[in-house]
Amino acid sequence: MPALRDKINAARHAMRFGSMRGTAGERTPMLSESVRDRNFWQKHRKKGKSLTGQFTTFEDSPRALIGCFLAIVVYLVTAIVAFSLIFEPDWTFIDSLYFAVVTFTTVGYGDVVPVSQGGRIFCIFFVFFGIVILGVALGILGDRLIQAQEHVVNSVKNRAESRVMDMFKEDTDETER
């Protein structure tokens, strides 16, 4: 049985490192040191913990998605209240919401614009903070999507490796009989 275990370990090693030889005849891994280091840090980052296991980053916590959603909602409600009720009383709630979304996404059609001095000054800061909020929210959501994709890819890779190892094990069992 040790021979089978050695063959399985050799197959795993070949799948991970390939069969390249270095200048002195030693095995050279196909993954560079920097890639392996990055994989190490990504693995620990996915867990949301530091090396001590006591720290969870905000972007990896469940509160991050809720915080992004709430920040966007507060931004839109602020736009409705500020423009419809304070600075531009002739705007409807829909106009204020439309203006917030158009400025929030940096499209800026120009069909609805604040005309009062207070509305224009408020709009300067409003647009700046809106772009920052959107950037942070999209960054967190994008990171979550990438993590989900990496998880799926790793699951498929592990299943494929397991199938190959099972087939290898079955072939070895048949030859030993």
Side-chain angles (χ1 to χ4, degrees):
M1 214 48 171
L4 174 62
R5 194 172 287 148
D6 292 339
K7 289 179 183 179
I8 291 173
N9 287 335
R12 282 186 181 149
H13 184 75
M15 289 175 76
R16 287 193 180 113
F17 295 104
S19 59
M20 296 171 54
R21 297 274 179 195
T23 56
E26 73 277 356
R27 295 184 80 70
T28 305
M30 293 178 86
L31 293 175
S32 66
E33 291 292 325
S34 62
V35 172
R36 277 189 281 166
D37 290 343
R38 186 181 64 205
N39 290 340
F40 171 79
W41 289 110
Q42 285 176 349
K43 182 175 92 174
H44 287 286
R45 184 170 174 237
K46 284 181 188 173
K47 292 179 182 176
K49 297 180 179 179
S50 68
L51 294 177
T52 61
Q54 299 174 356
F55 178 72
T56 301
T57 61
F58 175 73
E59 66 184 22
D60 291 333
S61 71
R63 294 180 295 159
L65 295 176
I66 295 170
C68 291
F69 176 73
L70 286 176
I72 292 171
V73 168
V74 166
Y75 180 82
L76 295 174
V77 169
T78 302
I80 291 171
V81 170
F83 289 114
S84 293
L85 302 177
I86 299 172
F87 297 113
E88 306 295 331
D90 57 330
W91 284 12
T92 64
F93 289 137
I94 299 298
D95 288 338
S96 297
L97 184 63
Y98 172 75
F99 179 75
V101 171
V102 167
T103 56
F104 190 46
T105 58
T106 67
V107 174
Y109 291 123
D111 53 346
V112 179
V113 294
V115 292
S116 67
Q117 290 293 70
R120 289 179 181 177
I121 292 172
F122 176 76
C123 186
I124 292 169
F125 297 104
F126 180 74
V127 169
F128 175 73
F129 287 113
I131 293 170
V132 170
I133 289 170
L134 183 65
V136 170
L138 288 178
I140 290 173
L141 293 174
D143 189 47
R144 287 290 180 97
L145 287 173
I146 289 170
Q147 286 179 1
Q149 180 189 12
E150 287 176 350
H151 177 72
V152 169
V153 167
N154 287 336
S155 297
V156 169
K157 178 183 169 190
N158 289 339
R159 276 188 268 142
E161 182 179 313
S162 176
R163 287 184 200 148
V164 168
M165 297 308 293
D166 288 344
M167 289 186 317
F168 186 70
K169 184 178 178 182
E170 290 172 5
D171 289 344
T172 307
D173 290 342
E174 290 175 6
T175 58
E176 288 180 357
R177 290 182 192 175

